[in-house]
PDB file of all heavy atoms in Angstrom:
ATOM      1  N   LYS A 754     -62.273  23.327 -10.363  1.00 85.00           N
ATOM      2  CA  LYS A 754     -62.787  24.669 -10.060  1.00 85.00           C
ATOM      3  C   LYS A 754     -62.504  24.970  -8.581  1.00 85.00           C
ATOM      4  O   LYS A 754     -62.268  24.035  -7.805  1.00 85.00           O
ATOM      5  CB  LYS A 754     -64.280  24.738 -10.356  1.00 85.00           C
ATOM      6  CG  LYS A 754     -65.089  23.711  -9.596  1.00 85.00           C
ATOM      7  CD  LYS A 754     -66.560  23.984  -9.798  1.00 85.00           C
ATOM      8  CE  LYS A 754     -67.363  23.209  -8.893  1.00 85.00           C
ATOM      9  NZ  LYS A 754     -68.177  22.600  -8.340  1.00 85.00           N
ATOM     10  N   PRO A 755     -62.511  26.240  -8.204  1.00 85.00           N
ATOM     11  CA  PRO A 755     -62.267  26.554  -6.790  1.00 85.00           C
ATOM     12  C   PRO A 755     -63.340  25.902  -5.916  1.00 85.00           C
ATOM     13  O   PRO A 755     -64.521  25.883  -6.308  1.00 85.00           O
ATOM     14  CB  PRO A 755     -62.369  28.074  -6.725  1.00 85.00           C
ATOM     15  CG  PRO A 755     -62.501  28.561  -8.120  1.00 85.00           C
ATOM     16  CD  PRO A 755     -62.800  27.417  -9.026  1.00 85.00           C
ATOM     17  N   LEU A 756     -62.937  25.377  -4.780  1.00 90.00           N
ATOM     18  CA  LEU A 756     -63.888  24.665  -3.927  1.00 90.00           C
ATOM     19  C   LEU A 756     -64.203  25.465  -2.667  1.00 90.00           C
ATOM     20  O   LEU A 756     -63.339  26.146  -2.120  1.00 90.00           O
ATOM     21  CB  LEU A 756     -63.306  23.305  -3.534  1.00 90.00           C
ATOM     22  CG  LEU A 756     -63.299  22.245  -4.635  1.00 90.00           C
ATOM     23  CD1 LEU A 756     -62.497  21.029  -4.185  1.00 90.00           C
ATOM     24  CD2 LEU A 756     -64.710  21.836  -5.004  1.00 90.00           C
ATOM     25  N   ARG A 757     -65.439  25.346  -2.227  1.00 94.00           N
ATOM     26  CA  ARG A 757     -65.866  26.005  -0.993  1.00 94.00           C
ATOM     27  C   ARG A 757     -65.468  25.157   0.217  1.00 94.00           C
ATOM     28  O   ARG A 757     -65.472  23.928   0.139  1.00 94.00           O
ATOM     29  CB  ARG A 757     -67.397  26.116  -0.984  1.00 94.00           C
ATOM     30  CG  ARG A 757     -67.946  26.982  -2.086  1.00 94.00           C
ATOM     31  CD  ARG A 757     -67.888  28.416  -1.652  1.00 94.00           C
ATOM     32  NE  ARG A 757     -68.579  29.283  -2.582  1.00 94.00           N
ATOM     33  CZ  ARG A 757     -68.813  30.567  -2.313  1.00 94.00           C
ATOM     34  NH1 ARG A 757     -68.404  31.087  -1.184  1.00 94.00           N
ATOM     35  NH2 ARG A 757     -69.427  31.315  -3.181  1.00 94.00           N
ATOM     36  N   PRO A 758     -65.179  25.802   1.358  1.00 95.00           N
ATOM     37  CA  PRO A 758     -64.889  25.003   2.566  1.00 95.00           C
ATOM     38  C   PRO A 758     -66.177  24.430   3.157  1.00 95.00           C
ATOM     39  O   PRO A 758     -67.270  24.839   2.766  1.00 95.00           O
ATOM     40  CB  PRO A 758     -64.286  26.037   3.515  1.00 95.00           C
ATOM     41  CG  PRO A 758     -64.903  27.333   3.092  1.00 95.00           C
ATOM     42  CD  PRO A 758     -65.144  27.246   1.601  1.00 95.00           C
ATOM     43  N   LYS A 759     -66.015  23.516   4.087  1.00 95.00           N
ATOM     44  CA  LYS A 759     -67.187  22.951   4.772  1.00 95.00           C
ATOM     45  C   LYS A 759     -67.093  23.224   6.258  1.00 95.00           C
ATOM     46  O   LYS A 759     -65.993  23.269   6.814  1.00 95.00           O
ATOM     47  CB  LYS A 759     -67.215  21.435   4.571  1.00 95.00           C
ATOM     48  CG  LYS A 759     -67.742  21.028   3.216  1.00 95.00           C
ATOM     49  CD  LYS A 759     -67.873  19.534   3.118  1.00 95.00           C
ATOM     50  CE  LYS A 759     -68.520  19.177   1.787  1.00 95.00           C
ATOM     51  NZ  LYS A 759     -68.285  17.817   1.402  1.00 95.00           N
ATOM     52  N   ALA A 760     -68.251  23.368   6.881  1.00 96.00           N
ATOM     53  CA  ALA A 760     -68.289  23.443   8.351  1.00 96.00           C
ATOM     54  C   ALA A 760     -68.581  22.034   8.850  1.00 96.00           C
ATOM     55  O   ALA A 760     -69.584  21.442   8.449  1.00 96.00           O
ATOM     56  CB  ALA A 760     -69.388  24.394   8.794  1.00 96.00           C
ATOM     57  N   HIS A 761     -67.696  21.499   9.672  1.00 96.00           N
ATOM     58  CA  HIS A 761     -67.894  20.157  10.223  1.00 96.00           C
ATOM     59  C   HIS A 761     -68.255  20.278  11.698  1.00 96.00           C
ATOM     60  O   HIS A 761     -67.622  21.037  12.429  1.00 96.00           O
ATOM     61  CB  HIS A 761     -66.599  19.337  10.132  1.00 96.00           C
ATOM     62  CG  HIS A 761     -66.110  19.151   8.735  1.00 96.00           C
ATOM     63  ND1 HIS A 761     -66.632  18.206   7.893  1.00 96.00           N
ATOM     64  CD2 HIS A 761     -65.153  19.793   8.040  1.00 96.00           C
ATOM     65  CE1 HIS A 761     -66.004  18.277   6.725  1.00 96.00           C
ATOM     66  NE2 HIS A 761     -65.104  19.241   6.786  1.00 96.00           N
ATOM     67  N   LEU A 762     -69.239  19.532  12.116  1.00 97.00           N
ATOM     68  CA  LEU A 762     -69.613  19.531  13.542  1.00 97.00           C
ATOM     69  C   LEU A 762     -69.656  18.086  14.043  1.00 97.00           C
ATOM     70  O   LEU A 762     -70.229  17.218  13.365  1.00 97.00           O
ATOM     71  CB  LEU A 762     -71.002  20.172  13.726  1.00 97.00           C
ATOM     72  CG  LEU A 762     -71.137  21.637  13.307  1.00 97.00           C
ATOM     73  CD1 LEU A 762     -72.594  22.082  13.333  1.00 97.00           C
ATOM     74  CD2 LEU A 762     -70.306  22.544  14.226  1.00 97.00           C
ATOM     75  N   TRP A 763     -69.034  17.858  15.179  1.00 96.00           N
ATOM     76  CA  TRP A 763     -69.031  16.519  15.793  1.00 96.00           C
ATOM     77  C   TRP A 763     -69.385  16.638  17.266  1.00 96.00           C
ATOM     78  O   TRP A 763     -68.725  17.394  17.972  1.00 96.00           O
ATOM     79  CB  TRP A 763     -67.625  15.927  15.815  1.00 96.00           C
ATOM     80  CG  TRP A 763     -67.070  15.354  14.583  1.00 96.00           C
ATOM     81  CD1 TRP A 763     -67.233  14.076  14.132  1.00 96.00           C
ATOM     82  CD2 TRP A 763     -66.180  15.992  13.657  1.00 96.00           C
ATOM     83  NE1 TRP A 763     -66.516  13.890  12.969  1.00 96.00           N
ATOM     84  CE2 TRP A 763     -65.861  15.052  12.665  1.00 96.00           C
ATOM     85  CE3 TRP A 763     -65.638  17.271  13.571  1.00 96.00           C
ATOM     86  CZ2 TRP A 763     -65.020  15.342  11.596  1.00 96.00           C
ATOM     87  CZ3 TRP A 763     -64.799  17.560  12.509  1.00 96.00           C
ATOM     88  CH2 TRP A 763     -64.507  16.608  11.539  1.00 96.00           C
ATOM     89  N   CYS A 764     -70.336  15.851  17.725  1.00 96.00           N
ATOM     90  CA  CYS A 764     -70.504  15.728  19.176  1.00 96.00           C
ATOM     91  C   CYS A 764     -69.700  14.514  19.619  1.00 96.00           C
ATOM     92  O   CYS A 764     -69.176  13.768  18.788  1.00 96.00           O
ATOM     93  CB  CYS A 764     -71.979  15.562  19.533  1.00 96.00           C
ATOM     94  SG  CYS A 764     -72.921  17.071  19.183  1.00 96.00           S
ATOM     95  N   ALA A 765     -69.587  14.322  20.926  1.00 94.00           N
ATOM     96  CA  ALA A 765     -68.787  13.194  21.434  1.00 94.00           C
ATOM     97  C   ALA A 765     -69.509  11.886  21.115  1.00 94.00           C
ATOM     98  O   ALA A 765     -70.733  11.882  20.914  1.00 94.00           O
ATOM     99  CB  ALA A 765     -68.595  13.352  22.924  1.00 94.00           C
ATOM    100  N   PRO A 766     -68.771  10.762  21.075  1.00 92.00           N
ATOM    101  CA  PRO A 766     -69.424   9.474  20.860  1.00 92.00           C
ATOM    102  C   PRO A 766     -70.542   9.288  21.889  1.00 92.00           C
ATOM    103  O   PRO A 766     -70.370   9.634  23.060  1.00 92.00           O
ATOM    104  CB  PRO A 766     -68.300   8.458  21.115  1.00 92.00           C
ATOM    105  CG  PRO A 766     -67.032   9.213  20.911  1.00 92.00           C
ATOM    106  CD  PRO A 766     -67.320  10.638  21.266  1.00 92.00           C
TER     107      PRO A 766
END
Side-chain angles (χ1 to χ4, degrees):
K754 57 172 191 208
L756 286 171
R757 296 277 188 171
K759 281 185 175 160
H761 300 280
L762 298 171
W763 282 274
C764 292

